[in-house]
Amino acid sequence: MKITTLPRLRSLTGGALVLAITASVFAQEKAATPTSTPITTDHATSAKPAPAEPGALDKFFNGKIPEAFTKGKFNLNMRFRYEFVDQSNLPEDSNAATLRTRFGFTTAPVYGFQAMIEGENVVALNDYDDYNAAGSNGQPNRPVVADPETTEVNQAWLGYTYTNLLSAKLGRQRIALDNHRFIGDVGWRQNDQTFDAVGLGVSPVKDLSLYYSYIWDVNRVFGDVPGLPAANTDFDSSSHVINASYGGWKYGKFVAYSYLLDLQNEAGPNNSCASYGLSFAGSAPVSEKVKLEYRAEGAWQTDYGDSTLNYDAPYCHFMLGADIKPVAFGAGYELLGSDNNVGFKTPLATLHAFDGWADAFLNTPNAGLQDLYAYVQVTLPKQIPVRFIYHKFDAATGGGNFGHEFDVVISKKFGKNWNALVKYAYYLGDDAAPPALALPDVDIQKFWAQLEFNF
């Protein structure tokens, strides 16, 4: 009997291991092959391999990006308005029939990012010389209707949102804070006020919201059109907007703000101002049919930035009302103070919403302004609200009497896309002259008829 040597044994053992491994791999491959797959012999070809899983870049460019557009949203707004103005110190009236068309697109979010672009056109449907388009069309003998013809980019921004914690927006955008008294979009005029800005909103805890914005340009309602007076041109800006609000109490919201506005246009830097304030506003049910509404606000303002002025002026606003359906009524008092012959300023506000719809006080008088007002609203059948407002205007210092005003508005919604409105304002001046008029004892009557479509 022949004895196998140790080297020979090792060689055989290694060969056996190789054969075993090869057999194992072959067995696994055979097991992995579906038994139901037929063997094709006609053309001696094998089955096609499964398509490769798309990579991250492929998913982004061929999936997410197309979805951002296919799932995005178009918006369309068309607003026709007829505005008539009779001002007793001017020889001719203004008649403005204008159409505002706004068309935009907002993408669907992609990993939290979103973009929006919107164009806007305002055109006069009657003779452009039939009204004073904010001084741009050479009609000084007619009252101002601040709706010049213009075509422009209304919004163009890139935004980012992370859950409910953080949101950011860069580019041309609307900014409207609280009741628009300091920062607003002036939505009443045909051309919005928008801001070239970067904004950041943070909600670190429930019901607490913090907002900061840096604004480098203010696109005002007068548009960027030739012939505008210096006071109506856009603002170059280096402004900081800070707003903090807490809404965790069911009876109202607390707001603290600091608006550091460094504004410069062809008229100079004297709209620059720094305002610091607090407000509380809300409502409380008294019974099933009765609800109270209220507001309390106080602020302080001083000169800021490149302003050549030197002043410190107060602001306050108090309002109390009751809603007893179908009737609501209430009264309020607003003070825009004065110091060193400079009145409290709100250059970026939605001004038409305050101190009377006749717009006699778009700029605060040097002596300041006191506005004591009362309102009543009745909702008629078919959900048609009718609102009446009375204003009594006086200077904050010096005892001047600025007169009073009567306002009324009726509106009606039709479905979810249409809204109609009729509005009237009658201002009766007295012995003190508002800045917009420069003369005492001037009367203003304004009438509007409006039809709006939103999609």
Side-chain angles (χ1 to χ4, degrees):
M1 179 173 166
K2 190 174 181 180
I3 300 174
T4 304
T5 61
L6 184 58
R8 175 68 173 169
L9 179 61
R10 287 175 176 172
S11 177
L12 289 173
T13 303
L17 287 172
V18 171
L19 289 173
I21 293 170
T22 303
S24 175
V25 171
F26 176 77
Q28 290 177 7
E29 290 180 349
K30 184 176 180 181
T33 303
T35 56
S36 60
T37 303
I39 300 175
T40 58
T41 57
D42 293 342
H43 302 286
T45 59
S46 59
K48 293 183 179 180
E53 184 73 19
L57 287 177
D58 186 49
K59 286 182 179 179
F60 180 75
F61 286 106
N62 295 318
K64 292 293 184 180
I65 293 297
E67 282 182 7
F69 291 94
T70 58
K71 295 183 178 180
K73 183 180 179 181
F74 287 97
N75 66 280
L76 172 65
N77 172 275
M78 299 183 72
R79 183 163 75 182
F80 167 79
R81 175 188 290 157
Y82 170 73
E83 181 168 347
F84 167 82
V85 186
D86 172 35
Q87 191 167 306
S88 64
N89 64 324
L90 294 175
E92 297 182 84
D93 299 332
S94 276
N95 292 270
T98 57
L99 176 66
R100 191 269 305 287
T101 304
R102 186 182 293 154
F103 184 72
F105 179 76
T106 305
T107 68
V110 176
Y111 301 118
F113 289 94
Q114 200 169 17
M116 194 262 196
I117 187 165
E118 181 180 69
E120 184 177 70
N121 173 260
V122 180
V123 61
L125 301 181
N126 61 335
D127 193 325
Y128 197 40
D129 291 337
D130 283 348
Y131 69 101
N132 181 347
S136 65
N137 61 337
Q139 294 297 317
N141 292 327
R142 298 180 185 272
V144 169
V145 175
D147 292 324
E149 290 187 320
T150 183
T151 300
E152 59 184 61
V153 175
N154 195 50
Q155 294 192 84
W157 51 259
L158 175 66
Y160 175 76
T161 302
Y162 177 72
T163 64
N164 293 323
L165 177 64
L166 181 146
S167 63
K169 192 177 285 186
L170 171 66
R172 181 163 297 183
Q173 58 193 276
R174 287 191 186 93
I175 304 176
L177 299 177
D178 305 324
N179 64 343
H180 297 217
R181 189 56 178 109
F182 288 85
I183 309 293
D185 61 2
V186 197
W188 172 249
R189 299 275 33 124
Q190 296 286 54
N191 180 22
D192 278 350
Q193 176 170 271
T194 58
F195 303 87
D196 294 347
V198 56
L200 177 66
V202 180
S203 297
V205 297
K206 184 181 178 182
D207 300 317
L208 177 64
S209 298
L210 309 175
Y211 177 78
Y212 168 79
S213 182
Y214 175 77
I215 300 170
W216 63 85
D217 198 55
V218 181
N219 309 287
R220 302 174 72 196
V221 298
F222 312 107
D224 188 11
V225 298
L228 282 172
N232 292 343
T233 55
D234 288 350
F235 289 129
D236 292 327
S237 172
S238 181
S239 300
H240 304 272
V241 171
I242 303 165
N243 184 285
S245 63
Y246 177 74
W249 194 35
K250 64 179 181 179
Y251 295 114
K253 178 188 287 188
F254 296 90
V255 177
Y257 52 83
S258 177
Y259 303 136
L260 311 178
L261 308 182
D262 189 358
L263 306 172
Q264 174 91 40
N265 69 353
E266 294 177 17
N270 285 346
N271 280 294
S272 298
C273 55
S275 304
Y276 311 90
L278 297 168
S279 71
F280 173 72
S283 62
V286 176
S287 66
E288 291 185 2
K289 295 184 178 181
V290 180
K291 180 176 67 174
L292 293 180
E293 298 177 338
Y294 38 79
R295 181 177 193 86
E297 182 172 5
W300 192 262
Q301 184 179 93
T302 185
D303 51 280
Y304 182 74
D306 293 330
S307 174
T308 63
L309 305 175
N310 181 18
Y311 72 103
D312 293 281
Y315 171 85
C316 68
H317 188 182
F318 302 100
M319 186 277 293
L320 178 63
D323 188 351
I324 309 172
K325 296 188 181 301
V327 178
F329 57 90
Y333 171 78
E334 185 182 44
L335 167 72
L336 295 99
S338 174
D339 177 54
N340 203 17
N341 202 36
V342 179
F344 193 99
K345 300 175 180 295
T346 56
L348 302 186
T350 299
L351 293 165
H352 180 79
F354 301 90
D355 305 322
W357 297 334
D359 293 335
F361 299 98
L362 296 180
N363 295 307
T364 306
N366 291 336
L369 179 67
Q370 298 181 79
D371 178 11
L372 180 64
Y373 64 91
Y375 69 90
V376 60
Q377 178 170 310
V378 180
T379 301
L380 302 177
K382 305 293 185 181
Q383 293 300 304
I384 301 176
V386 183
R387 190 176 184 91
F388 303 88
I389 307 174
Y390 169 76
H391 296 267
K392 177 66 177 74
F393 302 114
D394 292 285
T397 61
N401 182 355
F402 287 116
H404 52 157
E405 181 171 326
F406 301 90
D407 297 331
V408 60
V409 61
I410 304 172
S411 61
K412 172 62 179 174
K413 296 190 70 173
F414 301 92
K416 65 178 183 178
N417 301 112
W418 294 90
N419 186 71
L421 175 146
V422 176
K423 190 171 175 178
Y424 175 75
Y426 185 21
Y427 168 77
L428 297 94
D430 212 305
D431 60 3
L437 305 178
L439 292 171
D441 296 316
V442 174
D443 299 341
I444 304 173
Q445 293 189 72
K446 292 191 177 185
F447 170 81
W448 300 269
Q450 177 178 293
L451 182 64
E452 185 167 10
F453 172 80
N454 273 297
F455 175 77

